[in-house]
Amino acid sequence: MLNSDLTQQIRDKARELLESKAAECVIGYETGSDGAIARPAFIYSPDGVERLVFDDTCTHNLASYLVNRKGKATAVVLKACDARSLNVLLQEKQVARDKVYAIGVACDGIRQAVWGRPKGELQDRCKACQGHTPPIYDVLIGQPTSPDPPAPSDFSRVAEMEAKTPEERLAFWQRQFARCIRCYACRQICFGCYCQECFVERLDPEWTGIRVAPAQNQMYHIIRAFHLAGRCIACDECQRACPVDIPLSLLNRKLEEETLEMFGHRSGLSAEAQAPMATFRPEELE
Amino acid sequence: MSLSTSSPRTESARRTGQGSVLTKDGLKVWLGRLLESHRVIAPAVEDGVLFFQPVSRPQDVVLEGKTAISPKGWVHPQTEVLFRVERRDGATALESPEEPPQQVLFGVRPCDARGIKHIDKVMLAEPSDGLYARRRERTALVGLACSQAWPECFCTSLGLAPDDASDVDVMLTLAGDIFLARAVTEKGKALLELAPLEDAPAGEPAVAQLAKFPTDGLAPAMKANFDSKYWAAVADRCIHCNICTFVCADCYCFDVRDAHVGGTVERLRCWDSCQAYGFTRIAGGYERRATKGERMRQRFAHKLLYYPEQFGEPLCTGCGRCVVACPVNIDIREIIQDVLKMGVKSATARAE
Amino acid sequence: MQPYLATLKEARYITGDVKVLSVEINDPVAREAFKYAPGQFAFVSAFGVGESAVTFVSVPHRPGPLEFAIRRVGTVSAALHELDVGATLGVRGPYGNRFPLEDYRGKDILIIGGGIGMAPLRPVINYLLDHHDQYGNLTIINGARSPQDLAFAEEFETWAKAPRTRLELTVDRGDDVWKGRVALVPAVVEELKPSPANCVTITCGPPIMIRFVLQSLKKLGFADSQIVTTLEAKMKCGIGKCARCNVGEKYVCQDGPVFTFDQIATFLEGF
């Protein structure tokens, strides 16, 4: 359902930014080819802003596109969770703050949606929303609906998994990884996976090679999850992109829980926070 | 047997004579018999995902729904060993892989069967790929007409039909609660001999109806708009993953590299994707298709221009899997229609 | 896609990072049946790492092993460099089209090579030298970044002394002992002013060199159809199946690698 109020405000802001040349491009959402579900849209001229929409299918984390636009003034529509990834990118110095104009949206939640199919219920991440208001923005569209500090994360599915025996867990994950076709949609859609060359494709040294098989797939997913520890902001886009429904967010939630417990760290709440995996404190030796 | 048939629909409707009906129980009996002599690859559910996989029990076969990925991997595997390098008595020797098993791909939709035919044309063209040829020889396709179309389906726009039997060995069509079974090839005839065919009265065959959009003049339009800024504009939202090429019924590009397994070396052939950065990168680092727009254009130009020039038809069967799977909604149907809309006008503009 | 087993008979550096491998197919029947022509290529395997498409630098009419010039740039080439004499490697091919040298009979030939781009040109030169009575004058312009990077230096004397043959060496940067030309290849072309009349140019080198050589040749009146090159593209099969080496609708592995520039001008895609 189109949120006409938010949509209009986004269009107005986009027009203003493009007309004043404050931004060369506005990355937002437009209605997709099934006439119902939104998709990312790159708008370069004020004439194009009428394409922009905002509704409960705007699932994509548009911060993912920022790294490739390095150096070019870009405005981007960011939901509260997506805005956390902008903070992570700033913290990791992948984007320059003055080149990004964040159109933050206080969002009411996104529904599960598959192209051409009726919309489903609220996405899991939204049911466990940690705060509807973006932690970083240049303009805020919509009314902040939740107070600070952000709500705690929901680790109930991690707990369910941990209640199983190690054998059961191993069997579960082996079955999931056996199904993986290594299309890398999970990685490519991830804001945090911006490496020029992913370890999985490196030839020298070769970590996994080109073989698509359970052990290699497992290595890919586990290493990727580790690389996202303390960085993943739980947008769950990896899991949404997976064509064979591997519950990838479960791995990320586990590492999120660990980072929270060990370092008290929640990723993306501020651009100045220290990244636990990139910071060393002498007392950690203990 | 009826000779003049005006459409695939009436054709299958007329094939309801003696010995051409399989009840649902009969189908299970047949599957059971096929399982004794063949590896049977059929749609089955795992963790809620429907995909083609080896089945061991007839009751696991699911003939409703659409698999997440085409069955092409069972003739052109995502990973296969081309040969092994062995050390024997101090000398190097190359070992060919095990002979592929006799297999039946069961419940293959007409679009997926055509996809395999498209891959055949490449892999079996001289010089033919021996390993592929041997696997293909030992593979029979039991087709299943679509009684239902999905929103992304557009096979009829590319000249197929939901009950097109041209690329399978046996064709099954649902009619009421029984299947009409028809042998299309000699291979299929041999398989059907194992089936408990009955003479039961058949219901009306259920064949999906699909809306169709025109695709005439696509290759010239692709050529005319090759240098258009359109490709870069669509590619803006592309995340250049490999999902479209891997779920595709037709995409067949591969990579070849060596892998170590214990003490031996295997030369592997694995699916690869023209969408990946590095696909055309040569040693030393030069990447010919460095931009997303060029890579995206390659995929559509291969499907809608190069392959048609080489083999006479698009490298797409309208299965629509890429449409559903693409996480950012790059929709080949939209692209086909956009390119046709741009038409050859821009070619004139280019020439001027 | 299974290669012949072959043995490394000899390996020698011809520049700082280019090694010529002399390779003999083990099976005598296959060795005898293996017929190739200048311009064609083979896949050479370093088992355990992979295989690469490499042009022949030997000439088929001279007896002896197959020769490949390998520049150390990637994982496969590095592994090939590290093979000891006597080691087993793999060879499959030959693939691709060839230089139509018999069509050039009676013509002057201008060879312009840069760096490792001399590799596919070397069999052409040696073919022409061995059949010099059938051809007009031969001019060879061989350029490289530095004197040490000039490929096939061991043959310069033979080439320079051959009848109606002129060898022009040039480097981008000289050194203390280099007494020859220091100039970019296109500048040498413009200085020598070869006549386009009854002449065919065969060139190979880095894309940037090719681009400027083309401009220079056009200034001198050469038509695209008189200029021949061989393209490099990443490929995995050599037989038109892996769909990786296409430049527009042309497959470098089967339609090429040898093309004239009037053919290249019709390609949809740049290379």
Side-chain angles (χ1 to χ4, degrees), chain A residues 131-151:
Chain A
H132 298 262
T133 312
I136 177 172
Y137 54 79
D138 293 295
V139 62
L140 181 66
I141 308 280
Q143 293 304 314
T145 51
S146 60
D148 288 326

PDB file of all heavy atoms in Angstrom, chain A residues 131-151:
ATOM      1  N   GLY A 131      13.971   0.007  16.260  1.00  0.00           N
ATOM      2  CA  GLY A 131      13.775   1.460  16.281  1.00  0.00           C
ATOM      3  C   GLY A 131      13.376   1.940  14.906  1.00  0.00           C
ATOM      4  O   GLY A 131      14.097   1.697  13.957  1.00  0.00           O
ATOM      5  N   HIS A 132      12.237   2.580  14.830  1.00  0.00           N
ATOM      6  CA  HIS A 132      11.725   2.999  13.526  1.00  0.00           C
ATOM      7  C   HIS A 132      12.413   4.256  13.014  1.00  0.00           C
ATOM      8  O   HIS A 132      12.255   4.625  11.865  1.00  0.00           O
ATOM      9  CB  HIS A 132      10.209   3.253  13.625  1.00  0.00           C
ATOM     10  CG  HIS A 132       9.440   2.032  13.994  1.00  0.00           C
ATOM     11  ND1 HIS A 132       8.804   1.255  13.059  1.00  0.00           N
ATOM     12  CD2 HIS A 132       9.230   1.437  15.193  1.00  0.00           C
ATOM     13  CE1 HIS A 132       8.213   0.243  13.672  1.00  0.00           C
ATOM     14  NE2 HIS A 132       8.452   0.326  14.971  1.00  0.00           N
ATOM     15  N   THR A 133      13.133   4.939  13.883  1.00  0.00           N
ATOM     16  CA  THR A 133      13.745   6.199  13.488  1.00  0.00           C
ATOM     17  C   THR A 133      15.207   5.981  13.125  1.00  0.00           C
ATOM     18  O   THR A 133      15.957   5.416  13.922  1.00  0.00           O
ATOM     19  CB  THR A 133      13.652   7.208  14.644  1.00  0.00           C
ATOM     20  OG1 THR A 133      12.313   7.200  15.123  1.00  0.00           O
ATOM     21  CG2 THR A 133      14.029   8.594  14.168  1.00  0.00           C
ATOM     22  N   PRO A 134      15.619   6.420  11.935  1.00  0.00           N
ATOM     23  CA  PRO A 134      17.012   6.220  11.526  1.00  0.00           C
ATOM     24  C   PRO A 134      17.972   6.901  12.499  1.00  0.00           C
ATOM     25  O   PRO A 134      17.700   8.024  12.942  1.00  0.00           O
ATOM     26  CB  PRO A 134      17.084   6.900  10.156  1.00  0.00           C
ATOM     27  CG  PRO A 134      15.679   6.988   9.677  1.00  0.00           C
ATOM     28  CD  PRO A 134      14.818   7.088  10.898  1.00  0.00           C
ATOM     29  N   PRO A 135      19.077   6.237  12.842  1.00  0.00           N
ATOM     30  CA  PRO A 135      20.047   6.844  13.747  1.00  0.00           C
ATOM     31  C   PRO A 135      20.879   7.933  13.055  1.00  0.00           C
ATOM     32  O   PRO A 135      21.620   8.643  13.723  1.00  0.00           O
ATOM     33  CB  PRO A 135      20.931   5.668  14.168  1.00  0.00           C
ATOM     34  CG  PRO A 135      20.811   4.699  13.040  1.00  0.00           C
ATOM     35  CD  PRO A 135      19.437   4.854  12.486  1.00  0.00           C
ATOM     36  N   ILE A 136      20.787   8.013  11.749  1.00  0.00           N
ATOM     37  CA  ILE A 136      21.518   9.065  11.040  1.00  0.00           C
ATOM     38  C   ILE A 136      20.667   9.490   9.856  1.00  0.00           C
ATOM     39  O   ILE A 136      20.074   8.634   9.179  1.00  0.00           O
ATOM     40  CB  ILE A 136      22.921   8.583  10.587  1.00  0.00           C
ATOM     41  CG1 ILE A 136      23.648   9.680   9.785  1.00  0.00           C
ATOM     42  CG2 ILE A 136      22.861   7.305   9.780  1.00  0.00           C
ATOM     43  CD1 ILE A 136      25.109   9.341   9.471  1.00  0.00           C
ATOM     44  N   TYR A 137      20.561  10.781   9.655  1.00  0.00           N
ATOM     45  CA  TYR A 137      19.833  11.287   8.482  1.00  0.00           C
ATOM     46  C   TYR A 137      20.151  12.759   8.308  1.00  0.00           C
ATOM     47  O   TYR A 137      20.607  13.427   9.239  1.00  0.00           O
ATOM     48  CB  TYR A 137      18.323  11.089   8.621  1.00  0.00           C
ATOM     49  CG  TYR A 137      17.714  11.655   9.878  1.00  0.00           C
ATOM     50  CD1 TYR A 137      17.454  13.025   9.995  1.00  0.00           C
ATOM     51  CD2 TYR A 137      17.396  10.816  10.954  1.00  0.00           C
ATOM     52  CE1 TYR A 137      16.906  13.549  11.152  1.00  0.00           C
ATOM     53  CE2 TYR A 137      16.857  11.328  12.124  1.00  0.00           C
ATOM     54  CZ  TYR A 137      16.614  12.688  12.212  1.00  0.00           C
ATOM     55  OH  TYR A 137      16.085  13.212  13.360  1.00  0.00           O
ATOM     56  N   ASP A 138      19.919  13.226   7.087  1.00  0.00           N
ATOM     57  CA  ASP A 138      20.017  14.667   6.837  1.00  0.00           C
ATOM     58  C   ASP A 138      18.637  15.297   6.851  1.00  0.00           C
ATOM     59  O   ASP A 138      18.483  16.459   7.163  1.00  0.00           O
ATOM     60  CB  ASP A 138      20.716  14.916   5.507  1.00  0.00           C
ATOM     61  CG  ASP A 138      22.164  14.487   5.573  1.00  0.00           C
ATOM     62  OD1 ASP A 138      22.917  15.096   6.342  1.00  0.00           O
ATOM     63  OD2 ASP A 138      22.541  13.499   4.889  1.00  0.00           O
ATOM     64  N   VAL A 139      17.655  14.493   6.436  1.00  0.00           N
ATOM     65  CA  VAL A 139      16.281  14.943   6.582  1.00  0.00           C
ATOM     66  C   VAL A 139      15.490  13.710   7.020  1.00  0.00           C
ATOM     67  O   VAL A 139      15.783  12.595   6.593  1.00  0.00           O
ATOM     68  CB  VAL A 139      15.722  15.532   5.270  1.00  0.00           C
ATOM     69  CG1 VAL A 139      15.684  14.491   4.159  1.00  0.00           C
ATOM     70  CG2 VAL A 139      14.321  16.109   5.476  1.00  0.00           C
ATOM     71  N   LEU A 140      14.540  13.920   7.886  1.00  0.00           N
ATOM     72  CA  LEU A 140      13.733  12.783   8.328  1.00  0.00           C
ATOM     73  C   LEU A 140      12.336  12.908   7.725  1.00  0.00           C
ATOM     74  O   LEU A 140      11.676  13.936   7.875  1.00  0.00           O
ATOM     75  CB  LEU A 140      13.650  12.744   9.853  1.00  0.00           C
ATOM     76  CG  LEU A 140      12.836  11.571  10.408  1.00  0.00           C
ATOM     77  CD1 LEU A 140      13.526  10.239  10.115  1.00  0.00           C
ATOM     78  CD2 LEU A 140      12.600  11.717  11.903  1.00  0.00           C
ATOM     79  N   ILE A 141      11.932  11.858   7.039  1.00  0.00           N
ATOM     80  CA  ILE A 141      10.595  11.810   6.449  1.00  0.00           C
ATOM     81  C   ILE A 141       9.742  10.927   7.358  1.00  0.00           C
ATOM     82  O   ILE A 141      10.155   9.820   7.700  1.00  0.00           O
ATOM     83  CB  ILE A 141      10.649  11.195   5.030  1.00  0.00           C
ATOM     84  CG1 ILE A 141      11.695  11.895   4.143  1.00  0.00           C
ATOM     85  CG2 ILE A 141       9.271  11.164   4.388  1.00  0.00           C
ATOM     86  CD1 ILE A 141      11.295  13.189   3.531  1.00  0.00           C
ATOM     87  N   GLY A 142       8.576  11.413   7.725  1.00  0.00           N
ATOM     88  CA  GLY A 142       7.710  10.629   8.605  1.00  0.00           C
ATOM     89  C   GLY A 142       7.960  10.979  10.060  1.00  0.00           C
ATOM     90  O   GLY A 142       8.898  11.697  10.392  1.00  0.00           O
ATOM     91  N   GLN A 143       7.087  10.467  10.902  1.00  0.00           N
ATOM     92  CA  GLN A 143       7.157  10.790  12.329  1.00  0.00           C
ATOM     93  C   GLN A 143       7.930   9.711  13.077  1.00  0.00           C
ATOM     94  O   GLN A 143       7.660   8.532  12.907  1.00  0.00           O
ATOM     95  CB  GLN A 143       5.733  10.846  12.917  1.00  0.00           C
ATOM     96  CG  GLN A 143       4.906  11.996  12.381  1.00  0.00           C
ATOM     97  CD  GLN A 143       5.579  13.336  12.595  1.00  0.00           C
ATOM     98  OE1 GLN A 143       6.071  13.604  13.687  1.00  0.00           O
ATOM     99  NE2 GLN A 143       5.636  14.173  11.564  1.00  0.00           N
ATOM    100  N   PRO A 144       8.883  10.146  13.898  1.00  0.00           N
ATOM    101  CA  PRO A 144       9.553   9.140  14.726  1.00  0.00           C
ATOM    102  C   PRO A 144       8.514   8.460  15.620  1.00  0.00           C
ATOM    103  O   PRO A 144       7.684   9.139  16.224  1.00  0.00           O
ATOM    104  CB  PRO A 144      10.545   9.941  15.555  1.00  0.00           C
ATOM    105  CG  PRO A 144      10.383  11.369  15.180  1.00  0.00           C
ATOM    106  CD  PRO A 144       9.339  11.509  14.145  1.00  0.00           C
ATOM    107  N   THR A 145       8.516   7.134  15.614  1.00  0.00           N
ATOM    108  CA  THR A 145       7.473   6.430  16.350  1.00  0.00           C
ATOM    109  C   THR A 145       8.009   5.639  17.522  1.00  0.00           C
ATOM    110  O   THR A 145       7.257   5.029  18.229  1.00  0.00           O
ATOM    111  CB  THR A 145       6.721   5.461  15.423  1.00  0.00           C
ATOM    112  OG1 THR A 145       7.693   4.674  14.747  1.00  0.00           O
ATOM    113  CG2 THR A 145       5.847   6.207  14.444  1.00  0.00           C
ATOM    114  N   SER A 146       9.306   5.606  17.662  1.00  0.00           N
ATOM    115  CA  SER A 146       9.803   4.808  18.783  1.00  0.00           C
ATOM    116  C   SER A 146      10.818   5.613  19.553  1.00  0.00           C
ATOM    117  O   SER A 146      11.568   6.389  18.981  1.00  0.00           O
ATOM    118  CB  SER A 146      10.420   3.512  18.278  1.00  0.00           C
ATOM    119  OG  SER A 146      11.485   3.824  17.412  1.00  0.00           O
ATOM    120  N   PRO A 147      10.879   5.433  20.841  1.00  0.00           N
ATOM    121  CA  PRO A 147      11.812   6.206  21.650  1.00  0.00           C
ATOM    122  C   PRO A 147      13.219   5.607  21.587  1.00  0.00           C
ATOM    123  O   PRO A 147      13.384   4.451  21.256  1.00  0.00           O
ATOM    124  CB  PRO A 147      11.227   6.060  23.051  1.00  0.00           C
ATOM    125  CG  PRO A 147      10.544   4.727  23.035  1.00  0.00           C
ATOM    126  CD  PRO A 147      10.116   4.460  21.635  1.00  0.00           C
ATOM    127  N   ASP A 148      14.206   6.393  21.869  1.00  0.00           N
ATOM    128  CA  ASP A 148      15.547   5.875  22.097  1.00  0.00           C
ATOM    129  C   ASP A 148      15.598   5.397  23.541  1.00  0.00           C
ATOM    130  O   ASP A 148      14.837   5.897  24.366  1.00  0.00           O
ATOM    131  CB  ASP A 148      16.580   6.981  21.903  1.00  0.00           C
ATOM    132  CG  ASP A 148      16.704   7.323  20.426  1.00  0.00           C
ATOM    133  OD1 ASP A 148      16.558   6.416  19.581  1.00  0.00           O
ATOM    134  OD2 ASP A 148      16.925   8.502  20.128  1.00  0.00           O
ATOM    135  N   PRO A 149      16.444   4.543  23.966  1.00  0.00           N
ATOM    136  CA  PRO A 149      17.372   3.787  23.123  1.00  0.00           C
ATOM    137  C   PRO A 149      16.650   2.674  22.376  1.00  0.00           C
ATOM    138  O   PRO A 149      15.522   2.321  22.747  1.00  0.00           O
ATOM    139  CB  PRO A 149      18.353   3.217  24.142  1.00  0.00           C
ATOM    140  CG  PRO A 149      17.545   3.043  25.380  1.00  0.00           C
ATOM    141  CD  PRO A 149      16.546   4.156  25.379  1.00  0.00           C
ATOM    142  N   PRO A 150      17.306   2.137  21.355  1.00  0.00           N
ATOM    143  CA  PRO A 150      16.655   1.119  20.531  1.00  0.00           C
ATOM    144  C   PRO A 150      16.278  -0.135  21.311  1.00  0.00           C
ATOM    145  O   PRO A 150      16.927  -0.496  22.288  1.00  0.00           O
ATOM    146  CB  PRO A 150      17.702   0.797  19.466  1.00  0.00           C
ATOM    147  CG  PRO A 150      18.987   1.325  19.988  1.00  0.00           C
ATOM    148  CD  PRO A 150      18.652   2.453  20.886  1.00  0.00           C
ATOM    149  N   ALA A 151      15.239  -0.752  20.859  1.00  0.00           N
ATOM    150  CA  ALA A 151      14.757  -1.990  21.483  1.00  0.00           C
ATOM    151  C   ALA A 151      15.826  -3.080  21.363  1.00  0.00           C
ATOM    152  O   ALA A 151      16.658  -3.036  20.470  1.00  0.00           O
ATOM    153  CB  ALA A 151      13.483  -2.427  20.786  1.00  0.00           C
TER     154      ALA A 151
END
